[in-house]
Amino acid sequence: MGKEIFQRAEALLGTEALERIGKQRVIIFGTGGVGSWCAEALVRTGVCQMTIVDFDCVDVTNINRQLMATTQTVGQPKVEVLRERLLAINPEAEITALQKTFTEETADEFNLDNYDYIIDAIDSLNDKALLILKSCETEARLFSSMGAALKLDPTKIQVAEFWKVKGDPLARALRNRFRKAQQKPQRKFQCVFSEESPSSLLVPPSSPKGSLVHITAIFGMTLAGLVVQDIRSKD
């Protein structure tokens, strides 16, 4: 099958861009409702060198929005199930699955300098802030997902530079954290976010943070699109 898989991508992007996509080294932190769809989109577009990072196992509550979550995969490590899925798409891809968490203690284990693109799809505020700071110290291009929970309207999803993101509580919390610590990212980076107000959904405060696949998948696909567009722009 080989090159035939990517005929339609090559027809749009061109041979040189497709070859360049295949050479990029991508690492995705978080393979949940956002990261899993991003990974699939990138592999289907020709990315052949990918590392996926997530400490968690598939839970039954993940089935409504996460790519690899099914009734057959509950209890299995997310990265292992996702790796199988990605290799089923392109058996020649090099997919490294790391069942880990990105923290202050583990950050140096990931060798971020080895990658061309870093995708942040982490939920934890502490770990997300750290990943952003560390990524911006490298030459890799960082793309980050802000909050996809408590969103319903796909037309509200946008892309903006981090400091210009509006109406997103996670971005606001991150900016406040950076200002308080007097520790800002060393360079600018783009984010996928939704300006939809959670209050407009009339969700009781005591409820779990609900999320839907049509939102999380668009976030993930948009992140993948940003990577592809960035590579294509280097023609």
Side-chain angles (χ1 to χ4, degrees), residues 43-107:
V43 168
R44 287 188 183 274
T45 312
V47 170
C48 297
Q49 301 178 69
M50 181 182 293
T51 299
I52 49 178
V53 184
D54 199 304
F55 74 96
D56 213 352
C57 293
V58 177
D59 185 82
V60 67
T61 61
N62 301 149
I63 294 174
N64 84 311
R65 69 195 183 282
Q66 298 184 15
L67 175 71
M68 63 287 167
T70 69
T71 54
Q72 282 75 44
T73 61
V74 170
Q76 298 179 39
K78 289 182 181 180
V79 289
E80 294 296 340
V81 181
L82 182 57
R83 180 177 182 273
E84 291 179 14
R85 165 79 178 190
L86 300 178
L87 290 176
I89 296 168
N90 182 8
E92 296 179 7
E94 297 177 13
I95 310 296
T96 302
L98 300 178
Q99 192 177 8
K100 293 183 177 182
T101 305
F102 187 89
T103 64
E104 192 74 53
E105 292 72 31
T106 65

Side-chain angles (χ1 to χ4, degrees), residues 1 7 27 30 40 46 63 96 108 111 115 122 159-160 172 197-198 206 221 233:
M1 246 168 258
Q7 279 185 347
I27 186 167
E40 167 132 345
I63 294 174
T96 302
D108 292 339
N111 299 313
Y115 297 94
I122 294 177
V159 175
R172 189 182 308 117
S197 171
S206 58
M221 294 290 182
S233 71

Side-chain angles (χ1 to χ4, degrees), residues 29 102 119-135 142-147 162 168 170-171 174 177-178 189 191:
F29 288 92
F102 187 89
I119 304 297
D120 159 38
I122 294 177
D123 293 328
S124 164
L125 181 64
N126 290 344
D127 298 342
K128 193 177 195 74
L130 179 64
L131 177 61
I132 289 171
L133 290 172
K134 294 288 187 181
S135 297
L142 168 68
F143 294 113
S144 180
S145 171
M146 296 295 106
F162 172 67
D168 184 276
L170 180 55
L174 284 166
R177 183 184 186 87
F178 291 143
F189 60 96
C191 301

Side-chain angles (χ1 to χ4, degrees), residues 132-174:
I132 289 171
L133 290 172
K134 294 288 187 181
S135 297
C136 289
E137 293 174 357
T138 73
E139 295 184 2
R141 191 76 190 269
L142 168 68
F143 294 113
S144 180
S145 171
M146 296 295 106
L150 297 176
K151 309 294 182 182
L152 188 61
D153 185 351
T155 68
K156 300 291 187 182
I157 298 172
Q158 302 179 40
V159 175
E161 196 281 318
F162 172 67
W163 294 100
K164 296 181 179 179
V165 172
K166 297 179 180 178
D168 184 276
L170 180 55
R172 189 182 308 117
L174 284 166

